[in-house]
Amino acid sequence: MKMNKLLKYIGIGVLAVGSVGCSDFLDEYSQDLVVAKNVQHLDELLIGSVYLRSHKVEYGMSPGTYGFVNLLDDDINTTGTAEKGKVGSQAWGRVLLPMFGYFAWQQDVRYNYGGTSYIEDDGTWNTLYRHIAHANNIIDIIDEMPRSTDDEKKQYHRVKGEAYFLRGQFYFALANLYGKAYDPETASADLCVPLKLTPHVEYDKSKPTQFSRASVQEVYNQVVADLLVAQEHLTISPQNARFRLHRASAEAASLLLSRVYLYMQDWEKAEIEARKVMSSPHFALATIASFKPEEPFLKRGLTEIIFSQGANYVATSNLNFSLTGAASDFCVTRNLYDLYDEYDVRKSTFFAINGSTDSVRLTNKYQRGLELNHISDGWALRMAEAYLNAAEACAMQGGRENDANVVLSQLRRERIHYYQDKTYSGEQLLQEIRDERRRELCFEGHRWFDLRRYAVNKQYPFSKEIVHTYNVFSDDNEFVTTLYYSLPAGDPAYVFAIPKRALEFDKVPMPNNARDKRDAIVILPTAPKAEDNPTEN
């Protein structure tokens, strides 16, 4: 009987022994051994230990679980000050200082600026593998659960579909953090992350290395397989409308599949999956009337939000921090801000100018304030992406440029007042779609991964240097100096190093990803505006 194995699993560098504490069925068992008796028990385990919890982030960005993903790209920078000694905001000590390793693409991301303290680099790795372990347990035993009634059968399909969806989504995230971008020519040889698909303990103390890294191809194949299973079961038993936001649905599986195929440059399949989402009776592209500068755009009840889990790190519960454009805080780059048309409703809704610094701040893309933000900045899925995926997939298929233009115009008509349809072709068409993707999905965890995959695109490769400005303040929040950090095109830092503790777990560590030591390239006595990035055009 497999049930007595539930939640007994050794992860990579962590011991994942589970209990979720969400039902009486757990009370009669010890906390390191849980036996499920029916699908309802597995459903409770799914909610408590597989889905990522939405929670408040009180003090701005932190590594968290995936919390650094929007710190890495060319849409974010730090705000400078005009005078040496000028006092900045408290964001310096609570946000910029501890997040230096990620923002400046350091070889060892754990350390703050100055190396005076550090935060472990394995938070995302450990959390995702722990949640994958729980998903593996559900997948392993769910077929043994009794399901004699119609309700039990429906719940069986939903829980099984959700478990496969979540495992697929977590492995896709891990693959794009710790593996190279999917290149059809090298994916079978490029190292990715370990694949753990079984529930049982595999630790063997006689082995010098417990886990090996699968190839990028193997991990992507598994993600596709998991999402196809999820799609099948969630189609058989659709998600109740009441739970759609925070629980996976067939549309969520299709949209994520579309994204995966897009990364794999399988354009035909990417389009097919995107159009499934576009034709859904349950979700719809938000209309232009949904954008109001004085109200958050991405919030509960918006018709185009398909799924979300996990926290939001760029719209914190404390209004003083995180992308405010205040001195010594993060700001939105002018390069992104200037991409928007004058009549683009996203520009006035998402952004505003900070009057004290003249830098761009993120305002009402997400809900801010003391309430829990239900829309994640890294794990959300929404209808606009389906349109963008379909447009890109069409543009990359021969003879489909007209279809790409049609879909792109459909999106733009709901984003730009007085928009007149335009026709593009060739590389210009693809660049328009890429720019639209950047506008629409900014600060939702897409841009860093899009830059990675554009670099290995076979038809229209694109890469760029990114320069981040890091303004240093004293313990008293007085401006000291400005440092520039450069990430050249194709730099090894587009792939994260395997966390230190995961490597140290084995006598003979698994191969690591090389990252170069990165020093500041410019030191200035005063701080220019961060958005005056000399490498952007």
Side-chain angles (χ1 to χ4, degrees), residues 136-391:
N136 287 340
N137 281 304
I138 292 172
I139 290 168
D140 186 59
I141 67 171
I142 191 168
D143 287 344
E144 298 180 5
M145 295 295 106
R147 47 187 187 277
S148 56
T149 69
D150 287 342
D151 285 345
E152 286 175 336
K153 291 174 184 177
K154 290 177 181 178
Q155 189 174 40
Y156 158 79
H157 287 294
R158 282 196 298 273
V159 171
K160 186 170 183 176
E162 290 175 64
Y164 273 99
F165 170 85
L166 292 167
R167 187 172 74 176
Q169 189 177 38
F170 296 151
Y171 268 124
F172 185 60
L174 288 166
N176 281 281
L177 291 174
Y178 302 105
K180 291 182 178 180
Y182 186 99
D183 184 334
E185 295 178 359
T186 64
S188 62
D190 291 335
L191 291 179
C192 197
V193 296
L195 271 176
K196 181 68 169 69
L197 305 175
T198 57
H200 52 272
V201 174
E202 296 181 358
Y203 181 77
D204 183 350
K205 64 181 180 180
S206 66
K207 293 173 60 178
T209 302
Q210 300 298 326
F211 304 99
S212 60
R213 295 177 64 184
S215 70
V216 171
Q217 183 72 65
E218 289 172 321
V219 176
Y220 267 74
N221 287 349
Q222 186 60 52
V223 171
V224 169
D226 281 355
L227 294 177
L228 288 172
V229 173
Q231 186 184 67
E232 175 189 359
H233 285 276
L234 292 169
T235 300
I236 294 171
S237 181
Q239 197 63 261
N240 187 306
R242 178 185 170 194
F243 303 115
R244 274 195 200 117
L245 176 58
H246 291 308
R247 302 199 66 167
S249 61
E251 289 90 348
S254 293
L255 182 51
L256 189 54
L257 259 176
S258 175
R259 189 192 304 178
V260 175
Y261 286 136
L262 208 68
Y263 281 34
M264 297 175 75
Q265 302 182 47
D266 191 335
W267 312 115
E268 183 177 353
K269 290 181 180 177
E271 181 193 357
I272 290 170
E273 296 301 330
R275 289 195 182 276
K276 287 180 183 177
V277 181
M278 292 164 65
S279 64
S280 169
H282 304 300
F283 304 96
L285 186 68
T287 66
I288 200 167
S290 303
F291 292 83
K292 300 175 182 178
E294 68 280 4
E295 296 180 7
F297 172 61
L298 295 178
K299 57 187 177 183
R300 296 177 74 175
L302 186 68
T303 58
E304 78 163 52
I305 300 177
I306 295 169
F307 171 73
S308 183
Q309 65 172 331
N312 188 306
Y313 291 87
V314 301
T316 69
S317 59
N318 190 321
L319 293 174
N320 292 323
F321 310 121
S322 190
L323 278 162
T324 65
S328 76
D329 197 358
F330 290 112
C331 66
V332 177
T333 60
R334 287 279 178 176
N335 181 251
L336 171 62
Y337 184 72
D338 291 342
L339 272 181
Y340 294 84
D341 183 273
E342 177 185 0
Y343 298 108
D344 194 319
V345 292
R346 293 169 297 191
K347 189 172 188 176
S348 57
T349 301
F350 295 173
F351 312 114
I353 303 299
N354 186 303
S356 65
T357 63
D358 198 37
S359 293
V360 183
R361 61 190 178 98
L362 187 69
T363 52
N364 277 327
K365 180 159 195 180
Y366 297 105
Q367 182 177 356
R368 288 179 180 268
L370 299 178
E371 296 182 12
L372 175 66
N373 195 311
H374 286 272
I375 311 303
S376 169
D377 63 348
W379 300 99
L381 295 165
R382 61 187 181 95
M383 181 63 77
E385 186 191 349
Y387 279 76
L388 291 161
N389 291 356

